[in-house]
Amino acid sequence: MASVISISNLNKTFRAADGSVVNALEGINLDIQQGEFVSLIGPSGCGKSTLLRIMADLIQPTSGNVAVNGKAASQARKDRDYGFVFQNATLYDWRTVIKNVELPLEIMNYPKDQRNSRAREMLKLVELGDFADRYPYQLSGGMQQRVSIARALSFQPKIMLMDEPFGALDEMTRERMNNELLHIWSSLEGMTVIFVTHSIAEAVYLSSRVVVMSPRPGRIAQTVDVDLPRPRGPETRDMDAYFRYTSMVRHALRGTSPGEVESAPSRSEAIE
Amino acid sequence: MTDSAASRESTIAVVARAERPPSETSSFRTLLITLGLLFAMVLIWEGLKAFSQANNYEITVAGVNIDLTIFNNSQLPHLSDIAASLFEPAQRNGPPLWQMLMGSVGVTLLSALQGFLLGGIIGFALAVLFAHFGALSRGLLPFVVASQTVPILAIAPMIVIWFGRVGASNLAVAVIAAYLTFFPVTIYTLRGLVSVPTTALELMQTYAASKLQILWKLRLPNAVPQIFTALKIASTASVVGAIIGELPSGAQDGLGIAILNFARYYNQSPPRLWATIFIAGLVGILFFTVIAIIERLVVRWKPESAET
Ligand SMILES: Nc1ncnc2c1ncn2[C@@H]1O[C@H](COP(=O)(O)OP(=O)(O)O)[C@@H](O)[C@H]1O
Ligand SMILES: [Mg+2]
């Protein structure tokens, strides 16, 4: 499998207006293979968003190497290799739902009839086919975020970068969205997802690998391979292995080592 | 997620967000408030007059004499007299005043519209330039602001002279109106163009959108509400500008000219000046209302209650 994201020796420091320096990321090494579903988890301020934005070439690292699809992140952005989903849906108020989904296709000069049919298809995928002509203010938060996912999928990028997309949703809606996302991911063969969250349950439920980060400076504390069977569903959350994985991630977040680690079906390793 | 879940969520969203009180209710309320305020104004106007007359235009409060003659019939005519004057000829054997004023309204409105368009285009172009060239903005914006601190009454005669020299004196009034119009358009449009949410801009970057695409598909639509605010201010400013512009222009007709004339012969008939002033106010309100209606037709992506 080809390496989709390859990060080595990455550092990022922010210099605040008052001259103080924040070490947002330090010594990050991360390799993500095609088709993986990787979650980045860690306490607020540990640099998850910063790492994702660096992958997306929205900000530049202070030092280190970032390769996306084997090329510089900036080139991958110009080649429209990835779709990005923001924490808030970031829909354009003045566009109807379908016009929001068509936005990237307009920017990328798709022919008009293709734009429309593709957007309808994507809206159907996120089960919002009946809401094409609504304006964003007429939708609930969960529906808005689904529109933004449809928008990110519309031009069929092979990589999805998602920054806490369901962070603002209630637990029930979030679980439903998780299932929907897994369904989309498994139906689009070979898509790689990098998913930022601070929910342990969400990270374990979704991912093939959970990258646990620690703050000040932001580092990768541990990565946990999640070997739960797929397709996953409500019964997954009742499995013993599911509990073991969540407790592994919880301990990795706290920096303690649980007794269950040895009995876990998969090894966890510190990569620092 | 199941279909029933989707429709349940949609029902909730529709009930919670889409179905607001029908807009007729709110516009009916607005109408009532407007009528109420008008009625209150009439009461105050006529009440002050009646009170002053009853006191022989002088009252004493705490030993101080207060002169109330400004409320007598020659200083502040009865509203009924002002209304009646509209239906009397302004000149011997001439048409009734309202008919004469309609001609003046046409002349002034034309100049105001020209000034509105000219000022709108210049104001808009400046805003787009400023939004894209920070250095230019920092260098030129102070001059734009300074231009508005110079009294229009001081500049108007110069503009009339300049345009007279080049044989375009018929444009002088429009240019003076434009001078008052472009400024709010520049300031509000600029604000709308640059006050784009960071993530909305980053979204465009993830698509590798060009500057032109970002202007066209993000900055401009984002600025539309502010542009309409600017156009509403500009609409009344252009009418004011046209009236002021007419004063030194030596034009034959227009609301400004009518005001000038009726002020000169004020003692003969005070109500005529007042009637003309009211008509001028109505023209401004009319223009403003037209823009506000267009705004409602264009800006459909906001809930009714979020109107400014
Ligand atoms: N543009 C910025 N300027 C200065 N500091 C920043 C900036 N962006 C992020 N930071 C800092 O970097 C750290 C990591 O931030 P972030 O990546 O947003 O964390 P997370 O997404 O994990 O909550 C935080 O301490 C934050 O204050
Ligand atoms: Mg974040």
Side-chain angles (χ1 to χ4, degrees):
Chain A
M1 279 266 182
S3 193
V4 166
I5 307 269
S6 180
I7 293 173
S8 55
N9 303 319
L10 179 104
N11 296 292
K12 175 67 186 181
T13 53
F14 286 110
R15 194 173 294 277
D18 63 0
S20 65
V21 171
V22 181
N23 278 334
L25 293 170
E26 200 173 277
I28 302 287
N29 292 287
L30 184 62
D31 232 52
I32 296 172
Q33 306 302 311
Q34 197 195 341
E36 274 197 278
F37 195 123
V38 175
S39 285
L40 305 177
I41 192 169
S44 194
C46 72
K48 305 179 295 292
S49 296
T50 304
L51 184 53
L52 202 69
R53 278 158 190 273
I54 287 173
M55 294 177 193
D57 187 46
L58 292 175
I59 52 178
Q60 277 66 50
T62 309
S63 65
N65 281 315
V66 181
V68 177
N69 279 344
K71 46 199 166 184
S74 57
Q75 190 57 46
R77 180 171 69 83
K78 289 193 188 92
D79 292 347
R80 287 120 177 196
D81 280 358
Y82 66 82
F84 200 103
V85 177
F86 294 87
Q87 179 162 9
N88 59 342
T90 315
L91 302 180
Y92 287 1
D93 295 341
W94 52 88
R95 285 175 170 255
T96 57
V97 162
I98 189 151
K99 286 288 173 192
N100 265 289
V101 178
E102 285 182 24
L103 176 70
L105 305 174
E106 283 176 29
I107 302 281
M108 299 172 195
N109 295 319
Y110 281 64
K112 197 172 172 130
D113 49 336
Q114 203 177 330
R115 289 202 304 255
N116 191 271
S117 61
R118 182 75 64 77
R120 290 204 180 275
E121 203 178 308
M122 291 302 130
L123 282 177
K124 219 169 275 166
L125 194 64
V126 297
E127 303 192 21
L128 285 176
D130 295 339
F131 293 82
D133 299 317
R134 301 291 177 87
Y135 282 102
Y137 82 90
Q138 296 171 309
L139 304 187
S140 69
M143 295 161 94
Q144 292 188 1
Q145 196 55 280
R146 270 144 68 198
V147 176
S148 95
I149 290 170
R151 181 181 59 188
L153 292 168
S154 67
F155 59 101
Q156 297 175 321
K158 285 294 199 198
I159 308 171
M160 283 291 267
L161 306 177
M162 309 179 86
D163 193 355
E164 297 193 36
F166 310 137
L169 305 183
D170 63 84
E171 197 61 28
M172 307 252 293
T173 314
R174 179 194 282 230
E175 286 188 5
R176 227 174 47 222
M177 301 287 287
N178 284 344
N179 289 333
E180 208 166 304
L181 180 59
L182 280 184
H183 171 74
I184 290 167
W185 174 66
S186 58
S187 63
L188 300 174
E189 200 60 42
M191 185 165 77
T192 312
V193 179
I194 298 127
F195 186 94
V196 170
T197 179
H198 54 227
S199 158
I200 297 171
E202 186 174 60
V204 170
Y205 182 70
L206 293 175
S207 312
S208 43
R209 188 150 58 116
V210 178
V211 174
V212 181
M213 295 179 68
S214 64
R216 273 172 287 279
R219 293 172 196 255
I220 296 179
Q222 205 174 329
T223 66
V224 176
D225 290 316
V226 181
D227 223 351
L228 293 166
R230 294 191 190 270
R232 295 176 187 175
E235 68 288 349
T236 306
R237 295 185 199 269
D238 293 330
M239 290 177 155
D240 287 346
Y242 174 81
F243 286 112
R244 277 200 298 280
Y245 284 121
T246 53
S247 90
M248 272 163 69
V249 172
R250 186 173 303 114
H251 282 286
L253 281 167
R254 288 195 195 133
T256 56
S257 58
E260 301 101 325
V261 168
E262 290 88 41
S263 60
S266 155
R267 85 219 123 79
S268 65
E269 55 183 17
I271 67 160
E272 279 185 280
Chain B
M1 190 176 88
T2 62
D3 280 351
S4 72
S7 65
R8 183 162 12 93
E9 191 180 341
S10 66
T11 317
I12 295 167
V14 166
V15 169
R17 291 156 193 269
E19 279 187 16
R20 289 158 195 290
S23 62
E24 294 95 70
T25 336
S26 74
S27 54
F28 181 67
R29 196 182 307 146
T30 312
L31 185 71
L32 275 186
I33 292 172
T34 309
L35 287 176
L37 283 175
L38 258 175
F39 185 66
M41 219 188 76
V42 170
L43 270 187
I44 293 172
W45 182 298
E46 292 296 335
L48 276 172
K49 287 181 63 67
F51 175 79
S52 311
Q53 194 180 14
N55 289 288
N56 273 321
Y57 299 104
E58 191 173 58
I59 55 169
T60 309
V61 178
V64 182
N65 280 352
I66 298 178
D67 181 8
L68 293 177
T69 49
I70 54 163
F71 298 123
N72 69 19
N73 283 349
S74 62
Q75 314 292 325
L76 192 75
H78 281 292
L79 288 168
S80 54
D81 289 342
I82 295 171
S85 73
L86 280 170
F87 302 97
E88 290 155 12
Q91 285 145 3
R92 202 181 300 272
N93 300 324
L97 179 62
W98 71 266
Q99 209 171 335
M100 195 198 104
L101 283 180
M102 282 308 107
S104 310
V105 165
V107 172
T108 303
L109 204 49
L110 183 65
S111 301
L113 269 176
Q114 290 168 336
F116 180 83
L117 284 179
L118 189 64
I121 291 167
I122 292 171
F124 184 79
L126 278 175
V128 172
L129 274 180
F130 289 169
H132 281 86
F133 303 100
L136 188 74
S137 167
R138 280 186 292 279
L140 265 179
L141 202 54
F143 289 97
V144 171
V145 175
S147 76
Q148 299 298 302
T149 66
V150 180
I152 184 71
L153 276 174
I155 294 187
M158 282 181 358
I159 293 177
V160 169
I161 291 166
W162 289 339
F163 277 77
R165 290 273 155 78
V166 298
S169 40
N170 56 333
L171 275 181
V173 178
V175 168
I176 293 162
Y179 188 89
L180 285 189
T181 304
F182 89 96
F183 184 70
V185 176
T186 298
I187 297 299
Y188 281 93
T189 306
L190 181 59
R191 193 201 282 171
L193 291 177
V194 299
S195 69
V196 172
T198 318
T199 51
L201 202 58
E202 283 178 337
L203 184 72
M204 281 296 193
Q205 285 165 3
T206 69
Y207 304 146
S210 69
K211 275 205 151 165
L212 192 65
Q213 286 175 321
I214 293 175
L215 173 68
W216 201 244
K217 295 189 188 293
L218 174 58
R219 292 190 188 280
L220 276 181
N222 184 66
V224 163
Q226 268 108 329
I227 290 174
F228 271 108
T229 303
L231 292 183
K232 282 189 278 189
I233 298 173
S235 64
T236 51
S238 69
V239 174
V240 172
I243 289 173
I244 291 177
E246 284 167 1
L247 301 182
S249 70
Q252 294 304 304
D253 198 2
L255 283 173
I257 305 301
I259 288 171
L260 215 55
N261 281 334
F262 293 135
R264 188 173 298 146
Y265 301 108
Y266 184 75
N267 290 335
Q268 283 177 21
S269 171
R272 279 182 201 155
L273 179 63
W274 285 95
T276 311
I277 290 170
F278 279 131
I279 295 287
L282 277 180
V283 171
I285 292 170
L286 184 80
F287 201 168
F288 183 98
T289 307
V290 168
I291 305 284
I293 289 171
I294 296 174
E295 177 181 23
R296 275 182 86 136
L297 294 178
V298 172
V299 184
R300 314 197 70 138
W301 59 81
K302 281 186 169 175
E304 210 75 50
S305 57
E307 263 178 57
T308 46

